[in-house]
Amino acid sequence: MTAPDDKLRSVALRDTRAVDDLLPPDPPLTGQRVRLRPFRPDDAAAIVESCRSGDIMRYTMMPDDMTLDLAHAWIERSIEWWPRGLARFAVVTPSSDRCVGQIGAHIDPQHRRAEVFYWLDARVRGRGLVTEGLQLVVDWISNDDRIRRIQLVTHLDNEASHRVAQRCGFEREGVLRSWQPTKGDQQPDVVMWSLLPRRPARHP
Ligand SMILES: CC(C)(COP(=O)(O)OP(=O)(O)OC[C@H]1O[C@@H](n2cnc3c(N)ncnc32)[C@H](O)[C@@H]1OP(=O)(O)O)[C@@H](O)C(=O)NCCC(=O)NCCS
């Protein structure tokens, strides 16, 4: 059997480098409908429930067979990996503080870019929570002078995610064919979206 750690590494860890000063914002990023806070061990059961959704399995890198043990390991890594440039926020509603999703960003100062990703529990979709949360994360990243590009990669048929991207001001750049391995043997065509928080000064 694969250990939880190996499983998380195989599906989630990218080529992360140290970003020593990356800390969860304090106070947490907060909008009218959502607050984004670091994950906590007591989010594990909610993550297991959310990850039963077929489109989270299909469109994200969350492990398909999420168990409580795996969720605990995933949360531990989520906390540990902040200094490696992997900022994972739990999406919570300000009134309940219950975790209903994730918005994350891989901050890569070496290449002066960040990549965002997200999922939401199916029971609370369609209320604009992710659109508002992603906007908060985009604004937070945009304050980092090192980052010139924020990108987002979606499956070709992920209309809900395309809408979120458009709502938050991302531009559709094009289709990348057989982009990179995702889960199992899959290597899907994807859409690349980007947003440039600060354009370099242009010379006349
Ligand atoms: C993508 C996802 C986070 C969106 O969550 P959500 O709660 O529906 O997001 P929002 O309410 O903020 O906005 C969704 C928008 O997409 C639209 N939408 C939702 N489902 C849609 C569909 N099947 N086809 C077209 N548009 C759709 C909504 O009408 C809304 O548009 P609007 O703001 O113009 O009204 C959610 O569907 C999800 O978690 N999916 C599975 C994981 C996933 O795909 N993650 C993204 C990987 S790139």
Side-chain angles (χ1 to χ4, degrees):
M1 202 174 100
T2 323
D5 237 30
D6 296 340
K7 197 169 272 188
L8 290 173
R9 248 171 246 292
S10 66
V11 297
L13 185 58
R14 303 165 206 205
D15 177 23
T16 51
R17 284 165 191 263
V19 185
D20 293 332
D21 54 353
L22 194 69
L23 292 169
D26 184 17
L29 302 177
T30 305
Q32 292 195 318
R33 285 166 286 187
V34 289
R35 184 164 58 232
L36 305 178
R37 60 156 172 78
F39 281 95
R40 298 189 311 234
D42 62 355
D43 293 326
I47 292 173
V48 173
E49 271 185 58
S50 298
C51 287
R52 292 198 183 118
S53 148
D55 48 11
I56 291 181
M57 292 185 206
R58 167 139 196 250
Y59 292 134
T60 77
M61 297 298 278
M62 296 302 284
D64 286 351
D65 48 355
M66 188 63 94
T67 58
L68 260 187
D69 281 351
L70 200 49
H72 277 294
W74 187 90
I75 290 166
E76 259 177 51
R77 296 296 163 269
S78 299
I79 296 164
E80 273 176 30
W81 285 349
W82 268 81
R84 297 169 71 171
L86 198 59
R88 285 180 179 165
F89 294 97
V91 178
V92 306
T93 53
S95 53
S96 74
D97 202 41
R98 179 183 155 79
C99 170
V100 291
Q102 174 192 209
I103 299 180
H106 176 204
I107 312 282
D108 179 1
Q110 194 201 9
H111 297 101
R112 299 194 147 208
R113 69 177 173 236
E115 182 171 324
V116 291
F117 45 90
Y118 42 80
W119 53 262
L120 195 69
D121 188 288
R123 292 164 293 188
V124 294
R125 289 187 196 158
R127 302 177 197 174
L129 301 186
V130 162
T131 299
E132 186 182 75
L134 183 61
Q135 192 62 63
L136 291 168
V137 171
V138 163
D139 291 347
W140 174 68
I141 297 170
S142 298
N143 283 326
D144 186 334
D145 288 334
R146 297 169 300 184
I147 303 302
R148 299 251 175 98
R149 168 187 169 92
I150 304 175
Q151 66 184 33
L152 165 67
V153 175
T154 63
H155 281 62
L156 277 180
D157 63 347
N158 194 347
E159 294 299 334
S161 190
H162 295 172
R163 192 75 196 116
V164 169
Q166 288 162 340
R167 281 265 196 198
C168 291
F170 283 79
E171 285 183 30
R172 184 181 169 123
E173 295 185 326
V175 174
L176 306 184
R177 295 180 297 164
S178 291
W179 185 53
Q180 67 178 25
T182 52
K183 289 179 175 174
D185 198 29
Q186 298 171 52
Q187 188 147 339
D189 296 350
V190 297
V191 181
M192 175 62 80
W193 302 78
S194 73
L195 183 156
L196 306 185
R198 281 191 186 84
R199 294 171 199 277
R202 287 172 199 265
H203 299 290

